[in-house]
Amino acid sequence: MIDSWHDKWNRVITSLLEKDEYVLFSISGGKDSRVSLGCLMMPQPDMKKVKFFTAVDTLYTHSDDYRIASQIANIYGFKLNDYKKEERYKMDPVDNLNASLLVKCGFHRELMFTYFWRKFPVFRITGSGGDLRDLWNESAESFIKKNCDNTVFNSIDCQTALKEMMLKNIRLIDESSCGDKKLTANDYFYKQGRQRNHNGKANAESFLSNEIIISPLMDPVLYKLNQDIGKENDHDLLYTVIYERFLPELKNVPFDSKRIIKKETLDIAQKINAKYPYQRAGNVTGNLKISYNRTEPDGTTDKRNALDYLKESFYSEDMKQYIYSEFGEEVYNWADKYYKNVAYHPYMPASALVQIYTIDSAVKTSKDLSCWSSVQLPGKKSEKVFRHRNYINNGIMKEIFDYLQSGRIEIKNYGLLRQGVNEIVVDSSNDEEMFIEIPRWFEDDSGKGMVIQSCKGNCEICFRTIGDGRLKIKLNGPWIKGHDDKPLSIKIDFVRVMLIKADSGKTLIDSSEIYTVDSERTKSFEVEVKNGEGYKLYLEWLPFIYEKEELGNLFYEMSNKSVRYFQFWHGRKI
């Protein structure tokens, strides 16, 4: 299987070189690019026909990469970074940024800007899609629990959405799987998920600049191999078999970051290669058919690059207010801090936020526009494409505003016989985001009580009573503690209360008085009820108008709360 994989990609490369195509090999000091390098060998092509690229800077592992790549170049007799720069044209930086943002769709750690149009197609051989080690070998259930249940989310909705996506991924792969192998988190989320998403989007962006990525490590045939051979194997076995088989000259060349291959793994690999020596099948000549249109792209004289425009977009007032409104000030500030203090790809959090803005803009304008190049970047043009809210969400202010206009209602059917069977069953409501809960503190031998909270300003609830009893409806303000651990006085003005019997339409309560309530000062209504009766409760309320000093004190107390405190009741229903 390994030999067949090697021969296939060797023929692809050979065919390109025979047709005098521009072949560029990206080499580093890592394990992945060295696997792809193995496909160049046995037989070794004319190395003068291949261009070799390696990074020359001090970022990340690049200093190691250049030193190690230089050793490999000396052994095989090729030159590094020896190609003509005039074979490419500088891409318009705004087009470059737009292409990268929309291809990545907010789900990529690095933007990997292409920066240049290629005059002719460039076939770049890389180690992308690597990491052939079977490291994520835990169960899918364990992986989901670790990444969902033990992670801090901005809201319960985010956590639920992520879990649903992961479960859907499992279902889709199970439907297409032949079922002859016990699948792990590696199969469900790494090989089929992260690798295809991460490298697929990077490859798509390169294609837009006339660069075709060839990565032998993304060949799914390699995933079929059993790497669990020998209890001393450290998951580098497949790498090592390929190195020993096709690159024996490099056995003393190190890897970056002082990584090594364990002796035990090397011994197993050597035994496998000794027992099954390499045999090339068929003839060496490739017969790859290549067809495309050669184009002369337009260059640009703009001296700025895509990162300059990304930075301008991120620090624009439009972008800042958008993130404040949708996610909160702390999210924007964290991305800002990362941008200013991290050396390697400092733009990563900022680019994710700009991508969200850009995609949102594209969706909102897609009814009128048919081309992604028409999408406006934040701060790039003076006219505003959209504004999501009528107020600025300064950090957690949206959550605070929701609380300040929330009505809180306690309803309980108190059983006269004290048997603990009385309760209320909600059949429907006009507010899908209403928070409904039966807390333990509201449950005793008189029955179960229910707490309802909504920030919509009105609600209509249809419910049934279980057991004969006395129905009590209590109007409250939202409950939250201050720094002294005492409830804050968050006031709400209830302006309408109606309770109607469902079967007869008889009005039991009808009040248009204004009741100003908070967590301690409440207003209650009581009526006698029978088992199985249906009722419709209608309520209206308005935010209380505070004096400036009192409102300022509330803002101060509430802004010291976690965002999650305000969001815990959003979307929770029974």
Side-chain angles (χ1 to χ4, degrees), residues 136 138-141 143 166 169-174 177 181-194:
W136 296 15
E138 62 187 304
S139 69
E141 293 76 15
F143 186 85
M166 297 176 85
N169 207 51
I170 290 175
R171 291 194 296 271
L172 290 172
I173 292 172
D174 282 344
S177 166
K181 178 184 175 184
K182 185 177 180 181
L183 301 182
T184 65
N186 193 321
D187 303 288
Y188 289 120
F189 304 118
Y190 195 88
K191 295 169 183 174
Q192 299 280 6
R194 182 187 184 278

Side-chain angles (χ1 to χ4, degrees), residues 337-379:
K337 183 178 179 182
Y338 196 96
Y339 217 142
K340 292 174 179 175
N341 293 284
V342 174
Y344 187 67
H345 295 307
Y347 61 80
M348 289 194 294
S351 73
L353 298 177
V354 174
Q355 284 175 83
I356 291 168
Y357 179 107
T358 307
I359 294 163
D360 201 348
S361 171
V363 170
K364 291 184 186 314
T365 56
S366 62
K367 293 180 181 179
D368 306 312
L369 304 176
S370 59
C371 176
W372 60 259
S373 63
S374 301
V375 174
Q376 296 179 8
L377 290 170

Side-chain angles (χ1 to χ4, degrees), residues 453-498:
Q453 186 161 308
S454 169
C455 61
K456 298 298 183 182
N458 67 81
C459 70
E460 186 177 284
I461 309 164
C462 295
F463 63 91
R464 287 173 289 118
T465 53
I466 306 299
D468 297 346
R470 188 162 189 80
L471 182 71
K472 185 174 182 178
I473 302 169
K474 185 193 291 187
L475 310 181
N476 296 33
W479 187 91
I480 181 174
K481 287 184 177 180
H483 72 278
D484 57 1
D485 212 34
K486 294 180 180 179
L488 297 178
S489 177
I490 301 175
K491 300 180 181 69
I492 289 292
D493 285 340
F494 279 89
V495 296
R496 189 71 190 275
V497 182
M498 287 186 67

Side-chain angles (χ1 to χ4, degrees), residues 3 5-11 13-14 17 25 27 33-47 50 52 72-73 75-78 125 242-243 245-250 278 280 284:
D3 291 348
W5 161 82
H6 167 273
D7 292 353
K8 174 173 68 177
W9 292 107
N10 183 272
R11 287 191 175 97
I13 298 166
T14 301
L17 294 174
F25 191 99
I27 188 168
S33 70
R34 200 171 301 188
V35 170
S36 293
L37 182 65
C39 294
L40 274 177
M41 309 302 169
M42 300 181 70
Q44 179 178 322
D46 181 355
M47 289 302 199
V50 183
F52 289 87
I72 295 172
I75 291 172
Y76 289 117
F78 59 80
I125 306 166
I242 293 171
Y243 300 153
R245 204 168 185 83
F246 305 112
L247 302 166
E249 301 86 354
L250 302 185
Y278 168 61
R280 188 171 183 84
V284 177

Side-chain angles (χ1 to χ4, degrees), residues 485-524:
D485 212 34
K486 294 180 180 179
L488 297 178
S489 177
I490 301 175
K491 300 180 181 69
I492 289 292
D493 285 340
F494 279 89
V495 296
R496 189 71 190 275
V497 182
M498 287 186 67
L499 181 68
I500 302 171
K501 283 195 72 172
D503 55 354
S504 64
K506 182 180 179 182
T507 299
L508 304 178
I509 301 171
D510 188 358
S511 174
S512 297
E513 290 187 44
I514 297 176
Y515 301 107
T516 300
V517 299
D518 62 14
S519 56
E520 294 186 336
R521 183 174 53 173
T522 65
K523 174 63 180 178
S524 297

